[in-house]
Amino acid sequence: MGNKPSKKDLDKDTLEFLTKNTNFDKEAIKDWYTGFKKDCPSGQLDPDTFVSMYSQVFPRGNAEEFSKHAFRTFDTDNSGTIDFTEFLLALHVTSAGSPQDKLRWAFRMYDVDGNGSIDMQEMQKVIQGVYQMLGSQDKGRAEEVFKKMDLDSDGTVTEKEFMKACSTDKELMNLLTPNIAQS
């Protein structure tokens, strides 16, 4: 992955890459990097720290299950940790990405096994995680959402079906993407 940055500095290639691929300017990227290194001195965000961070954002619920799904989506190289580049790219998509980018990101979170479609069990796992994080009960909502999204009734939801359903149903989008739907 190129030159490893020193403890304090961000390497030039990474800075250039992030400037081109996010809406953050060089100063903002350096500020984010300083904070990231403070929270993750090793330069890697591990699952436990990630869950702890989400738990602080959602103190009334149990963020653990949802955090696992979000972590997996941030960890694009499947290394088991999130490096600064993965962190900032995910932050960009979830905060400033286009609605389509946000939905693609959310789809990857719901597609737990990464096979390109969402089945009922995957939908249940992630929606239960959302409800636990918010401190409430699912009450069969996953089944209702799945039926709404499975446009061809084949038992799976493709990325196209997911994006179409969320694009046309704001309530659905808010439920399925609680941390990124505001925009």
Side-chain angles (χ1 to χ4, degrees), residues 35-53:
F36 186 85
K37 287 296 279 188
K38 184 173 172 242
D39 292 337
C40 308
S42 70
Q44 302 292 318
L45 177 56
D46 64 59
D48 292 339
T49 306
F50 189 82
V51 169
S52 167
M53 292 164 82

Side-chain angles (χ1 to χ4, degrees), residues 15-134:
L15 187 59
E16 288 299 318
F17 175 80
L18 291 171
T19 304
K20 282 184 188 144
N21 291 285
T22 70
N23 68 331
F24 300 112
D25 62 29
K26 287 183 181 183
E27 284 311 306
I29 293 169
K30 288 176 185 176
D31 288 345
W32 277 107
Y33 184 74
T34 301
F36 186 85
K37 287 296 279 188
K38 184 173 172 242
D39 292 337
C40 308
S42 70
Q44 302 292 318
L45 177 56
D46 64 59
D48 292 339
T49 306
F50 189 82
V51 169
S52 167
M53 292 164 82
Y54 253 90
S55 296
Q56 289 171 17
V57 176
F58 296 96
R60 291 194 351 233
N62 178 352
E64 190 168 344
E65 194 60 37
F66 181 81
S67 298
K68 287 180 197 170
H69 298 298
F71 184 89
R72 178 181 37 75
T73 309
F74 276 59
D75 181 19
T76 55
D77 67 359
N78 298 315
S79 65
T81 60
I82 297 169
D83 65 23
F84 179 68
T85 300
E86 289 171 317
F87 174 77
L88 206 65
L89 289 171
L91 185 67
H92 167 74
V93 168
T94 59
S95 65
S98 70
Q100 276 66 35
D101 288 342
K102 290 178 181 184
L103 287 174
R104 271 192 282 284
W105 187 89
F107 178 83
R108 284 200 326 269
M109 183 171 59
Y110 282 84
D111 181 13
V112 175
D113 64 11
N115 72 349
S117 64
I118 302 166
D119 63 30
M120 177 62 86
Q121 286 73 30
E122 290 171 316
M123 182 71 71
Q124 287 171 325
K125 279 181 191 171
V126 181
I127 287 187
Q128 285 169 356
V130 170
Y131 274 95
Q132 287 170 6
M133 178 180 67
L134 299 174

